[in-house]
């Protein structure tokens, strides 16, 4: 129990820091994250530039701060979107069964058959490269796996005797679903969504790398990381800053997600 | 060595739970004589399974040996090296587990699983091993051993699997067979068959049997001596007859008293009106096709059954597993789709949907067998019991809260409202399930094996509670059970089902004292009664 609280605390501090930094970045950064200073390019970390500068002489710390807002909000909205859509579709398919299930799952499996990136690319081409487009594309790419997990959970839950008892009480089906099935899906969805957060951060960087994400020069952790690849030997700090940001954010999300799941489970209290 | 010499001695055995330091088994001593049938009796948490596992050196993680000795033929079992212990397991001491559905590896053919032990402990050739397995399968009355040896475990029913399990253990001719609740998951008929077989085989091979059970009826029928455990301590031991007829310890007395007994016949106060009637009710399930080109068939679980339950009456439906008794109960509540016939409630056919079905639902309730899966783990007790009331038109929140408190008090769990199900014991959960069923004052309750998952003394309490509530509120009850003793205590009328059909029905005393049908007689003969 004590270890659990410590985990929640560490997770909370990490995520809180990221959110605060993202908010500060909207008002103030040490340098303009887009200002090019060719005289100070590829400088190693110093008192003037805490995280050093990149190949155009832009301050890495300022870019990482500005990137927190972009990357964080994209990942957050994508995960929320995927979980909401995935849960609705999954519960419907698993609980109603029959033709609803077959049609929804055929569509879902078709989506799952595409590599996520390819699917996202297609969507981005249609809606255009923008932050909204990126969120929409990634949501569509990640929702199908949520559907799979939720449907599986619902299929096993709907055979539980308390679901039958609810029917026997005379509750309408939708109420049975909302009150007795949906709340018991929280644990697997919480686990999935925390790990999904990490995949989304990386997918965003992949799409940015392909030029379909947030358009450069605006910074995200993803495009900072992919930009750093060419200079890994000469300027390690370029990759280290966004890499550490991503790693620590993921750690925070995972710790917080586990704590949240346990907090929501009456058996763990 | 003489016939009565004890060869396994457990002396002052003490096992503790590592985390809490609490003793799970405390200062327990008993001995097993060569070739005898010894039973260890106790309720859940009495430490009976742990004591048996200690003999095999198979304590689960978190349980530690903290004192006492276990010797077999003079060898100290606790001091044995893991290697030597492994040679002993199977060859000298065999074990049969409770759950036949999971104790066989589903990915291994039956023959290969049975051969494992022989290959480990003997040097026989494959052909010899196969011949011995075939002989043993025949001995445990498996039809067509030739086919069985190459079949997969899932092709067999629970009773058959337990026979296979027994056969594979007895193949090695162990000196001691430990059977941990071997028949708890089986119905009465199969239970009798498996235990008879176990006794015969043990006698033939001179194997001593250590039976771990909570069922006193089985002890009376099979065991020569008995050890009674309560909360990790031995409270009584001795010859079975003596212990059960004249228990000296209050706990044993309490266990014996908890056995269901026939209640006096209740004279019906008024001319009973039919409450719910099944007419030619049938339920068929689709069966998956066999192989690629097989035909999808149907399995008829309930076959044109006529059954009437009168107001305030308790009708018991008994039968072995697969007899269709549970499906009949569900079909009468319209939880299972009937493939033919109809259900009438107060003389009116129950519609398959809409407002009429809702009215019917409001008047009927169901109590499930397993109290662990019948309560939503995320719902507090008060919310769970209140839920049925929310559908009663015109009931205010205050009225509902008052009714919930009243019902919780009736089932003896006043003040448990704010708790979650996992904070309750099995018996308490079953009381909550009963409270949920009766809170709306239903006219008809189906109770599907409501006590078979509970300990003996808890069973007695829950049965008594159920009877008292019935007297108080006057609901009719369809009591589905394979436990004839419980049926004898609670039922007004008894209906016997076999393979989806009713083979006999009548007043309780008639069915129990003058059974007409062969199947009823077989059921009664197999029932372990003191």
């Amino acid at each position: 129990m004590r270890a659990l609280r410590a985990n929640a605390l560490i997770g909370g501090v990490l995520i809180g820091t990221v959110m605060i930094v993202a908010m500060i970045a909207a008002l103030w950064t040490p340098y303009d994250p887009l200002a090019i200073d060719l005289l100070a390019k590829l400088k190693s970390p110093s008192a003037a530039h805490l995280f050093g500068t990149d190949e155009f002489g832009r301050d890495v710390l300022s870019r990482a701060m500005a990137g927190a807002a972009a990357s964080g909000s994209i990942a957050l909205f994508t995960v929320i979107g995927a979980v909401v859509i995935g849960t609705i579709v999954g519960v419907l398919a698993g609980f109603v069964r029959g033709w609803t299930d077959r049609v929804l799952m055929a569509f879902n499996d078709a989506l799952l058959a595409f590599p996520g990136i390819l699917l996202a690319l297609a969507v981005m081409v249609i809606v255009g490269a923008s932050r909204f487009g990126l969120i929409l594309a990634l949501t569509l790419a990640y929702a199908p796996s949520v559907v799979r997990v939720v449907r599986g959970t619902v299929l096993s839950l709907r055979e539980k005797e308390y679901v039958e008892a609810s029917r026997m009480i005379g509750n309408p089906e939708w109420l049975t679903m909302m009150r007795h099935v949906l709340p018991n899906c929280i644990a697997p969805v919480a686990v999935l969504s925390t790990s999904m957060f990490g995949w989304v951060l990386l997918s965003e960087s992949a799409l940015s790398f392909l030029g379909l994400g947030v358009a450069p020069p605006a910074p995200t952790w993803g495009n900072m990381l992919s930009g750093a690849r060419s200079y890994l030997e000469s300027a390690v700090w370029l990759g280290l800053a966004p890499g550490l940001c991503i790693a620590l954010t993921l750690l925070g999300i995972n710790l917080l997600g586990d704590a949240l799941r346990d907090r929501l489970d009456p058996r763990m209290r | 060595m003489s016939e009565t010499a004890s060869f396994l001695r457990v002396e002052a055995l003490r096992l503790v739970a590592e985390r809490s330091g609490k003793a799970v088994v405390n200062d327990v001593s008993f001995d097993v004589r060569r070739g005898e049938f010894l039973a260890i009796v106790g309720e859940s948490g009495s430490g009976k399974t742990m004591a048996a596992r200690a003999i095999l050196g198979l304590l689960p993680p978190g349980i530690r040996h903290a004192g006492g000795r276990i010797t077999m033929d003079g060898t100290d079992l606790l001091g044995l090296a893991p290697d030597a212990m492994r040679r002993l397991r199977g060859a000298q001491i065999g074990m049969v587990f409770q759950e036949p559905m999971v104790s066989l590896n589903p990915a291994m053919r039956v023959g290969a699983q049975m051969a494992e032990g022989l290959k480990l402990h003997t040097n026989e050739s494959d052909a010899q091993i196969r011949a011995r397995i075939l002989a043993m399968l025949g001995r445990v009355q498996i039809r067509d051993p030739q086919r069985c040896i190459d079949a997969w475990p899932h092709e067999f029913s629970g009773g058959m699997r337990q026979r296979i399990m027994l056969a594979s253990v007895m193949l090695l001719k162990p000196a001691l067979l430990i059977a941990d609740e071997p028949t708890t998951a089986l119905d009465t008929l199969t239970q009798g068959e498996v235990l008879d077989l176990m006794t015969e085989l043990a006698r033939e091979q001179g194997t001593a049997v250590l039976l771990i059970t909570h069922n006193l009826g089985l002890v009376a029928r099979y065991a020569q001596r008995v050890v009674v455990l309560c909360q990790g301590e031995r409270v009584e031991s001795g010859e079975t007859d003596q212990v059960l007829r004249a228990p000296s310890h209050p706990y044993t007395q309490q266990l014996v008293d908890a056995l269901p007994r026939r209640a006096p016949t209740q004279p019906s106060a008024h001319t009973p009106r039919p409450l719910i009637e099944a007419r030619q009710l049938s339920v068929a399930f689709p069966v998956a096709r066999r192989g690629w080109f097989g035909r999808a068939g149907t399995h008829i679980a309930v076959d044109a059954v006529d059954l009437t339950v009168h107001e305030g009456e308790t009708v018991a439906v008994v039968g072995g597993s697969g007899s269709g008794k549970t499906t009949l109960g569900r079909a009468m509540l319209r939880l299972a789709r009937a493939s033919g016939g109809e259900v009438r409630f107060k003389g009116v056919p129950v519609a398959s949907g809409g407002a009429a079905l809702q009215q019917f639902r409001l008047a009927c309730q169901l109590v499930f067998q397993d109290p662990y899966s019948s309560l939503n783990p995320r719902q507090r007790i008060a919310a769970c019991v209140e839920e049925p009331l929310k559908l009663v038109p015109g009931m205010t929140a205050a009225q509902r809260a008052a009714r919930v408190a009243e019902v919780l008090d009736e089932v003896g769990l006043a003040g448990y409202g704010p708790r979650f199900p996992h904070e309750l014991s099995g018996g308490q959960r079953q009381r909550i399930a009963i409270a949920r069923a009766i809170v709306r004052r239903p006219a008809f309750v189906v109770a599907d094996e409501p006590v078979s998952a509970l300990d003996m003394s808890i069973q007695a309490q829950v049965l008594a509670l159920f009877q008292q509530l019935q007297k108080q509120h006057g609901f009719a009850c369809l009591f589905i059970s394979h436990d004839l003793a419980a049926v004898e205590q609670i039922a007004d009328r008894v209906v016997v089902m076999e393979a989806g059909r009713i083979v006999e029905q009548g007043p309780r005393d008639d069915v129990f004292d003058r059974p007409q049908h062969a199947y009823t007689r077989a059921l009664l003969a197999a029932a372990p009664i003191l």
Side-chain angles (χ1 to χ4, degrees):
Chain A
M1 267 294 131
R2 181 157 299 167
L4 198 77
R5 271 191 214 127
N7 281 353
L9 193 69
I10 297 172
V13 167
L14 284 172
I15 297 305
T17 311
V18 171
M19 288 171 87
I20 291 171
V21 166
M23 277 185 265
I24 292 175
L27 304 171
W28 173 84
T29 48
Y31 295 84
D32 179 352
L34 303 182
I36 293 172
D37 180 0
L38 289 176
L39 291 176
K41 66 177 187 177
L42 293 175
K43 283 269 191 298
S44 58
S46 64
H49 300 280
L50 277 179
F51 286 2
T53 60
D54 68 4
E55 70 272 28
F56 299 112
R58 297 176 297 198
D59 181 45
V60 175
L61 175 62
S62 305
R63 289 181 64 76
M65 284 174 71
S71 295
S73 62
I74 289 171
L76 188 68
F77 286 120
T78 302
V79 170
I80 291 176
V83 165
V84 169
I85 294 176
T87 306
I88 292 174
V89 176
V91 168
L92 265 181
F95 199 75
V96 180
R97 302 294 310 277
W99 276 105
T100 318
D101 185 25
R102 271 179 232 176
V103 171
L104 286 176
M105 290 320 284
F107 188 65
N108 194 61
D109 289 347
L111 285 181
L112 269 176
F114 288 104
I117 285 290
L118 206 63
L119 195 69
L121 273 177
V123 177
M124 295 291 289
V125 169
I126 297 169
V127 298
S130 65
R131 191 179 290 192
F132 170 75
L134 194 61
I135 291 173
L136 186 72
L138 288 175
T139 300
L140 280 181
Y142 282 101
S145 51
V146 182
V147 173
R148 271 270 158 219
V149 169
V150 171
R151 175 176 174 271
T153 314
V154 170
L155 281 184
S156 76
L157 286 175
R158 71 196 295 280
E159 301 302 326
K160 293 269 184 187
E161 289 177 338
Y162 55 78
V163 171
E164 190 134 86
S166 167
R167 223 167 262 154
M168 203 51 231
I169 282 168
N171 281 333
E173 290 291 291
W174 66 268
L175 194 64
T176 302
M177 190 163 87
M178 295 298 289
R179 197 180 281 162
H180 296 287
V181 175
L182 199 55
N184 285 297
C185 293
I186 290 177
V189 170
V191 173
L192 182 67
S193 56
T194 48
S195 48
M196 209 158 70
F197 205 92
W199 308 333
V200 173
L201 275 179
L202 298 178
S203 299
E204 176 261 315
S205 73
L207 283 176
S208 299
F209 182 70
L210 292 173
L212 280 166
V214 174
T220 68
W221 290 344
N223 65 22
M224 286 173 74
L225 200 59
S226 49
R229 207 152 29 166
S230 351
Y231 301 94
L232 267 188
E233 281 166 21
S234 52
V236 175
W237 60 88
L238 281 186
L240 220 51
L244 273 178
C245 286
I246 291 177
L248 288 177
T249 309
L250 289 189
L251 181 66
I253 285 280
N254 275 301
L255 291 176
L256 206 60
D258 283 358
L260 197 68
R261 181 197 62 203
D262 293 343
R263 183 84 193 102
L264 289 171
D265 189 340
R267 280 163 294 196
M268 301 291 289
R269 254 176 243 170
Chain B
M1 200 168 279
S2 76
E3 202 45 17
T4 53
S6 54
F7 75 107
L8 179 88
R9 282 174 178 282
V10 175
E11 288 163 271
L13 181 68
R14 184 177 154 82
L15 306 171
V16 295
E18 260 166 6
R19 190 166 288 175
S20 62
K22 243 183 74 185
V24 180
V25 170
N26 195 10
D27 196 20
V28 166
S29 308
F30 59 88
D31 56 336
V32 186
R33 296 172 195 157
R34 216 162 268 287
E36 83 164 338
F37 201 122
L38 175 77
I40 299 186
V41 181
E43 308 200 3
S44 36
S46 65
K48 56 189 194 301
T49 295
M50 288 308 142
R53 287 187 159 251
I55 298 174
L56 280 167
L58 289 176
L59 287 175
I63 303 279
R64 194 167 49 82
H65 171 249
R69 275 157 46 88
I70 302 177
T71 53
M72 188 161 140
D73 281 336
T75 327
D76 183 6
L77 292 188
L78 294 169
L80 274 187
D83 243 19
M85 191 72 216
R86 208 157 45 230
R87 275 196 296 276
L88 212 64
R89 276 184 217 138
Q92 289 293 308
I93 311 176
M95 181 141 186
V96 176
F97 298 92
Q98 171 171 358
E99 198 46 78
M101 291 313 194
V102 295
S103 54
L104 290 172
N105 182 347
M108 245 172 123
R109 290 179 196 274
V110 167
Q113 265 179 82
M114 293 181 70
E116 263 192 325
L118 285 175
K119 283 189 177 149
L120 269 175
H121 297 288
T122 66
N123 297 318
E124 291 175 46
S125 70
D126 284 1
Q128 275 174 311
I129 287 178
R130 191 172 168 96
R132 278 185 62 182
I133 292 175
L134 283 174
M136 185 48 101
L137 284 174
R139 181 67 195 80
V140 297
Q141 292 158 25
I142 297 271
R143 265 166 282 160
D144 198 0
Q146 290 284 359
R147 209 189 69 73
C148 168
I149 201 167
D150 291 318
W152 300 99
H154 71 260
E155 298 175 39
F156 297 92
S157 67
M160 284 296 155
R161 286 189 212 193
Q162 206 59 313
R163 282 170 199 230
I164 291 170
M165 198 66 213
L166 182 66
S168 63
V169 171
M170 295 307 280
L171 259 180
L172 293 162
K173 297 197 164 58
L176 173 68
L177 171 67
I178 299 177
D180 189 356
E181 302 266 14
T183 56
T184 307
L186 307 177
D187 69 52
T188 317
L189 271 180
T190 324
Q191 165 171 290
E193 287 164 10
V194 168
L195 282 177
D196 286 345
L197 205 53
M198 183 187 282
T199 317
E200 274 171 40
L201 276 170
R203 198 170 299 149
E204 275 168 26
Q205 305 189 352
T207 302
V209 179
L210 182 61
L211 174 74
I212 296 155
T213 184
H214 67 273
N215 189 331
L216 281 186
L218 291 183
V219 173
R221 197 175 176 123
Y222 294 102
Q224 287 145 9
R225 289 193 308 136
V226 59
V227 177
V228 184
L229 292 188
C230 175
Q231 292 178 350
E233 313 235 358
R234 187 185 71 174
V235 297
E236 189 161 359
S237 66
E239 302 291 322
T240 306
D241 275 354
Q242 211 175 338
V243 171
L244 295 187
R245 301 267 173 250
S248 61
H249 193 276
Y251 177 73
T252 321
Q253 183 71 50
Q254 189 191 328
L255 278 186
V256 172
D257 288 344
L259 288 173
R261 291 205 166 69
R262 194 184 292 196
T265 321
Q266 291 158 3
S268 49
H270 48 87
T271 42
R273 278 179 302 163
L275 180 70
I276 185 162
E277 300 159 83
R279 291 195 184 166
Q280 294 293 306
L281 191 65
S282 298
V283 181
F285 293 120
V287 178
R289 62 186 69 204
R290 281 192 163 263
W292 284 11
F293 304 105
R295 194 176 295 171
T298 52
H299 167 68
I300 296 173
V302 175
D303 193 0
V305 163
D306 285 308
L307 178 65
T308 305
V309 179
H310 299 93
E311 281 175 2
E313 178 188 43
T314 303
V315 176
V317 181
V318 299
S321 34
S323 61
K325 54 191 197 302
T326 292
T327 312
L328 173 66
R330 290 167 46 88
M332 287 187 75
L333 291 176
R334 288 274 160 190
L335 278 172
R337 191 179 292 276
S339 56
E342 63 171 7
V343 176
R344 287 171 166 262
F345 184 67
K346 293 182 176 167
V348 185
V350 178
S352 54
L357 180 67
Q358 188 70 10
Q359 278 306 311
F360 173 68
R361 284 272 154 88
L362 289 179
C364 297
Q365 274 311 309
L366 176 62
V367 178
F368 297 90
Q369 170 174 6
D370 183 3
Y372 290 90
S373 73
S374 64
L375 302 178
N376 183 348
R378 288 177 183 273
Q379 210 174 23
R380 287 178 200 275
I381 298 304
C384 170
V385 177
E386 187 190 359
E387 211 181 339
L389 295 176
K390 290 191 171 161
L391 292 156
V392 178
M395 214 171 178
T396 66
Q399 283 171 322
R400 288 201 301 259
R403 175 77 72 85
V404 168
E406 182 190 329
V407 168
L408 283 180
D409 189 40
E410 278 175 8
V411 298
L413 293 175
Y416 277 66
R419 303 204 188 186
F420 281 104
H422 71 273
E423 297 171 87
L424 272 56
S425 70
Q428 287 173 331
R429 288 181 196 214
Q430 200 61 316
R431 283 159 188 264
I432 294 302
I434 292 173
R436 176 177 60 190
I438 64 163
V439 72
R440 215 158 49 190
R441 305 275 147 82
F444 179 56
V445 174
V446 172
D448 188 358
E449 306 264 11
V451 295
S452 51
L454 307 174
D455 269 332
M456 288 295 266
S457 55
I458 309 293
Q459 276 191 17
Q461 290 169 14
V462 171
L463 272 184
L465 172 73
F466 202 76
Q467 270 182 306
Q468 186 216 326
L469 289 171
Q470 205 181 0
K471 200 175 285 175
Q472 204 173 329
H473 298 299
F475 52 84
C477 175
L478 191 71
F479 189 87
I480 298 163
S481 181
H482 71 264
D483 180 3
L484 288 168
V487 167
E488 194 172 2
Q489 177 177 340
I490 203 167
D492 297 320
R493 261 185 333 122
V494 176
V495 172
V496 183
M497 281 189 80
E498 184 192 13
R501 290 174 173 277
I502 292 182
V503 294
E504 180 165 0
Q505 61 175 311
R508 177 196 59 191
D509 293 355
D510 285 0
V511 174
F512 272 83
D513 298 337
R514 292 172 292 280
Q516 302 298 315
H517 195 273
Y519 185 72
T520 316
R521 279 190 222 119
L523 271 181
L524 284 170
I529 290 166
L530 279 191

